[in-house]
PDB file of all heavy atoms in Angstrom:
ATOM      1  N   ASP A 267     -18.483 -16.217  -5.916  1.00 97.00           N
ATOM      2  CA  ASP A 267     -19.156 -17.426  -6.398  1.00 97.00           C
ATOM      3  C   ASP A 267     -20.540 -17.091  -6.946  1.00 97.00           C
ATOM      4  O   ASP A 267     -20.969 -17.635  -7.976  1.00 97.00           O
ATOM      5  CB  ASP A 267     -19.277 -18.451  -5.272  1.00 97.00           C
ATOM      6  CG  ASP A 267     -17.943 -19.117  -4.938  1.00 97.00           C
ATOM      7  OD1 ASP A 267     -16.981 -18.927  -5.699  1.00 97.00           O
ATOM      8  OD2 ASP A 267     -17.880 -19.803  -3.901  1.00 97.00           O
ATOM      9  N   ALA A 268     -21.242 -16.180  -6.269  1.00 96.00           N
ATOM     10  CA  ALA A 268     -22.594 -15.812  -6.698  1.00 96.00           C
ATOM     11  C   ALA A 268     -22.573 -15.048  -8.019  1.00 96.00           C
ATOM     12  O   ALA A 268     -23.529 -15.112  -8.797  1.00 96.00           O
ATOM     13  CB  ALA A 268     -23.273 -14.972  -5.621  1.00 96.00           C
ATOM     14  N   MET A 269     -21.471 -14.325  -8.288  1.00 96.00           N
ATOM     15  CA  MET A 269     -21.355 -13.568  -9.536  1.00 96.00           C
ATOM     16  C   MET A 269     -20.771 -14.395 -10.671  1.00 96.00           C
ATOM     17  O   MET A 269     -20.700 -13.930 -11.808  1.00 96.00           O
ATOM     18  CB  MET A 269     -20.485 -12.322  -9.312  1.00 96.00           C
ATOM     19  CG  MET A 269     -21.099 -11.278  -8.384  1.00 96.00           C
ATOM     20  SD  MET A 269     -20.024  -9.823  -8.157  1.00 96.00           S
ATOM     21  CE  MET A 269     -20.000  -9.137  -9.819  1.00 96.00           C
ATOM     22  N   GLY A 270     -20.365 -15.616 -10.365  1.00 93.00           N
ATOM     23  CA  GLY A 270     -19.695 -16.438 -11.359  1.00 93.00           C
ATOM     24  C   GLY A 270     -20.544 -16.815 -12.548  1.00 93.00           C
ATOM     25  O   GLY A 270     -20.006 -17.134 -13.620  1.00 93.00           O
ATOM     26  N   ASP A 271     -21.868 -16.780 -12.377  1.00 91.00           N
ATOM     27  CA  ASP A 271     -22.737 -17.155 -13.496  1.00 91.00           C
ATOM     28  C   ASP A 271     -23.242 -15.952 -14.287  1.00 91.00           C
ATOM     29  O   ASP A 271     -24.127 -16.086 -15.129  1.00 91.00           O
ATOM     30  CB  ASP A 271     -23.921 -17.986 -12.983  1.00 91.00           C
ATOM     31  CG  ASP A 271     -24.775 -17.237 -11.970  1.00 91.00           C
ATOM     32  OD1 ASP A 271     -24.414 -16.091 -11.617  1.00 91.00           O
ATOM     33  OD2 ASP A 271     -25.801 -17.792 -11.522  1.00 91.00           O
ATOM     34  N   ILE A 272     -22.690 -14.758 -14.014  1.00 95.00           N
ATOM     35  CA  ILE A 272     -23.028 -13.577 -14.804  1.00 95.00           C
ATOM     36  C   ILE A 272     -22.112 -13.561 -16.031  1.00 95.00           C
ATOM     37  O   ILE A 272     -20.901 -13.323 -15.919  1.00 95.00           O
ATOM     38  CB  ILE A 272     -22.876 -12.280 -13.991  1.00 95.00           C
ATOM     39  CG1 ILE A 272     -23.776 -12.323 -12.750  1.00 95.00           C
ATOM     40  CG2 ILE A 272     -23.216 -11.059 -14.849  1.00 95.00           C
ATOM     41  CD1 ILE A 272     -23.598 -11.137 -11.809  1.00 95.00           C
ATOM     42  N   ALA A 273     -22.661 -13.827 -17.173  1.00 93.00           N
ATOM     43  CA  ALA A 273     -21.868 -14.116 -18.371  1.00 93.00           C
ATOM     44  C   ALA A 273     -20.923 -12.988 -18.762  1.00 93.00           C
ATOM     45  O   ALA A 273     -19.805 -13.241 -19.238  1.00 93.00           O
ATOM     46  CB  ALA A 273     -22.811 -14.444 -19.535  1.00 93.00           C
ATOM     47  N   GLU A 274     -21.326 -11.753 -18.582  1.00 95.00           N
ATOM     48  CA  GLU A 274     -20.506 -10.640 -19.068  1.00 95.00           C
ATOM     49  C   GLU A 274     -19.403 -10.240 -18.092  1.00 95.00           C
ATOM     50  O   GLU A 274     -18.604  -9.346 -18.380  1.00 95.00           O
ATOM     51  CB  GLU A 274     -21.400  -9.430 -19.370  1.00 95.00           C
ATOM     52  CG  GLU A 274     -22.182  -8.916 -18.175  1.00 95.00           C
ATOM     53  CD  GLU A 274     -23.134  -7.789 -18.562  1.00 95.00           C
ATOM     54  OE1 GLU A 274     -22.813  -7.038 -19.506  1.00 95.00           O
ATOM     55  OE2 GLU A 274     -24.193  -7.661 -17.932  1.00 95.00           O
ATOM     56  N   VAL A 275     -19.329 -10.903 -16.941  1.00 97.00           N
ATOM     57  CA  VAL A 275     -18.328 -10.564 -15.930  1.00 97.00           C
ATOM     58  C   VAL A 275     -17.108 -11.457 -16.057  1.00 97.00           C
ATOM     59  O   VAL A 275     -17.221 -12.679 -16.177  1.00 97.00           O
ATOM     60  CB  VAL A 275     -18.927 -10.709 -14.511  1.00 97.00           C
ATOM     61  CG1 VAL A 275     -17.828 -10.710 -13.448  1.00 97.00           C
ATOM     62  CG2 VAL A 275     -19.912  -9.580 -14.234  1.00 97.00           C
ATOM     63  N   THR A 276     -15.923 -10.843 -16.061  1.00 97.00           N
ATOM     64  CA  THR A 276     -14.670 -11.573 -15.874  1.00 97.00           C
ATOM     65  C   THR A 276     -13.969 -10.980 -14.657  1.00 97.00           C
ATOM     66  O   THR A 276     -14.173  -9.803 -14.330  1.00 97.00           O
ATOM     67  CB  THR A 276     -13.744 -11.459 -17.096  1.00 97.00           C
ATOM     68  OG1 THR A 276     -13.489 -10.072 -17.373  1.00 97.00           O
ATOM     69  CG2 THR A 276     -14.372 -12.112 -18.311  1.00 97.00           C
ATOM     70  N   PHE A 277     -13.169 -11.781 -13.994  1.00 97.00           N
ATOM     71  CA  PHE A 277     -12.541 -11.339 -12.768  1.00 97.00           C
ATOM     72  C   PHE A 277     -11.066 -11.020 -12.973  1.00 97.00           C
ATOM     73  O   PHE A 277     -10.411 -11.545 -13.877  1.00 97.00           O
ATOM     74  CB  PHE A 277     -12.703 -12.397 -11.673  1.00 97.00           C
ATOM     75  CG  PHE A 277     -14.134 -12.610 -11.249  1.00 97.00           C
ATOM     76  CD1 PHE A 277     -14.837 -13.727 -11.693  1.00 97.00           C
ATOM     77  CD2 PHE A 277     -14.782 -11.699 -10.439  1.00 97.00           C
ATOM     78  CE1 PHE A 277     -16.156 -13.926 -11.312  1.00 97.00           C
ATOM     79  CE2 PHE A 277     -16.104 -11.880 -10.061  1.00 97.00           C
ATOM     80  CZ  PHE A 277     -16.792 -12.998 -10.495  1.00 97.00           C
ATOM     81  N   ARG A 278     -10.570 -10.175 -12.104  1.00 97.00           N
ATOM     82  CA  ARG A 278      -9.163  -9.817 -12.087  1.00 97.00           C
ATOM     83  C   ARG A 278      -8.279 -11.059 -12.048  1.00 97.00           C
ATOM     84  O   ARG A 278      -8.593 -12.053 -11.398  1.00 97.00           O
ATOM     85  CB  ARG A 278      -8.909  -8.971 -10.835  1.00 97.00           C
ATOM     86  CG  ARG A 278      -7.452  -8.691 -10.534  1.00 97.00           C
ATOM     87  CD  ARG A 278      -7.327  -8.061  -9.161  1.00 97.00           C
ATOM     88  NE  ARG A 278      -5.967  -7.613  -8.897  1.00 97.00           N
ATOM     89  CZ  ARG A 278      -5.612  -6.923  -7.812  1.00 97.00           C
ATOM     90  NH1 ARG A 278      -6.517  -6.615  -6.915  1.00 97.00           N
ATOM     91  NH2 ARG A 278      -4.362  -6.549  -7.649  1.00 97.00           N
ATOM     92  N   GLU A 279      -7.155 -11.010 -12.732  1.00 97.00           N
ATOM     93  CA  GLU A 279      -6.204 -12.110 -12.699  1.00 97.00           C
ATOM     94  C   GLU A 279      -5.445 -12.102 -11.371  1.00 97.00           C
ATOM     95  O   GLU A 279      -4.901 -11.067 -10.954  1.00 97.00           O
ATOM     96  CB  GLU A 279      -5.201 -11.986 -13.856  1.00 97.00           C
ATOM     97  CG  GLU A 279      -4.182 -13.103 -13.904  1.00 97.00           C
ATOM     98  CD  GLU A 279      -3.194 -12.951 -15.037  1.00 97.00           C
ATOM     99  OE1 GLU A 279      -3.350 -12.037 -15.867  1.00 97.00           O
ATOM    100  OE2 GLU A 279      -2.238 -13.757 -15.089  1.00 97.00           O
ATOM    101  N   LEU A 280      -5.400 -13.244 -10.711  1.00 97.00           N
ATOM    102  CA  LEU A 280      -4.697 -13.383  -9.440  1.00 97.00           C
ATOM    103  C   LEU A 280      -3.567 -14.401  -9.615  1.00 97.00           C
ATOM    104  O   LEU A 280      -3.827 -15.600  -9.731  1.00 97.00           O
ATOM    105  CB  LEU A 280      -5.651 -13.850  -8.339  1.00 97.00           C
ATOM    106  CG  LEU A 280      -6.855 -12.939  -8.042  1.00 97.00           C
ATOM    107  CD1 LEU A 280      -7.779 -13.601  -7.039  1.00 97.00           C
ATOM    108  CD2 LEU A 280      -6.379 -11.578  -7.525  1.00 97.00           C
TER     109      LEU A 280
END
Side-chain angles (χ1 to χ4, degrees):
D267 287 350
M269 293 180 65
D271 60 357
I272 301 175
E274 60 185 329
V275 166
T276 57
F277 294 103
R278 171 190 187 174
E279 181 181 354
L280 300 174

